[in-house]
Amino acid sequence: MKVEAVLATDGLRCPSCAYAVERLGRKIAGVEDIRVDAATGEIRFTYDGDPSTPRRISDIVARLGHSTYAS
């Protein structure tokens, strides 16, 4: 089952941080696509429906010093 989701961040505006989230997010099993908009701080991703995937993406963002919440 393909699921599309959006997470908002508390200010992930740095292009290199956005790239890091995209690069690391693509390594998560089941993530089909992930895009980070550095202008808005939104993370849009498509994944296989595994309920742990959004948390795993949030963990990546947390390692960069930011937090996420459902958009």
Side-chain angles (χ1 to χ4, degrees):
M1 167 175 68
K2 184 175 168 180
V3 178
E4 294 182 23
V6 178
L7 292 174
T9 67
D10 67 349
L12 183 83
R13 303 281 193 260
C14 168
S16 63
C17 290
Y19 173 74
V21 171
E22 289 177 351
R23 184 174 51 80
L24 294 170
R26 285 187 188 103
K27 292 181 180 184
I28 298 172
V31 172
E32 294 179 22
D33 187 43
I34 183 168
R35 302 279 180 223
V36 180
D37 185 335
T40 65
E42 281 191 339
I43 304 167
R44 294 183 178 276
F45 57 101
T46 305
Y47 65 106
D48 63 2
D50 181 346
S52 70
T53 300
R55 181 188 47 78
R56 294 176 73 192
I57 292 173
S58 292
D59 290 346
I60 292 169
V61 174
R63 283 186 271 161
L64 296 170
H66 298 280
S67 60
T68 60
Y69 52 94
S71 177

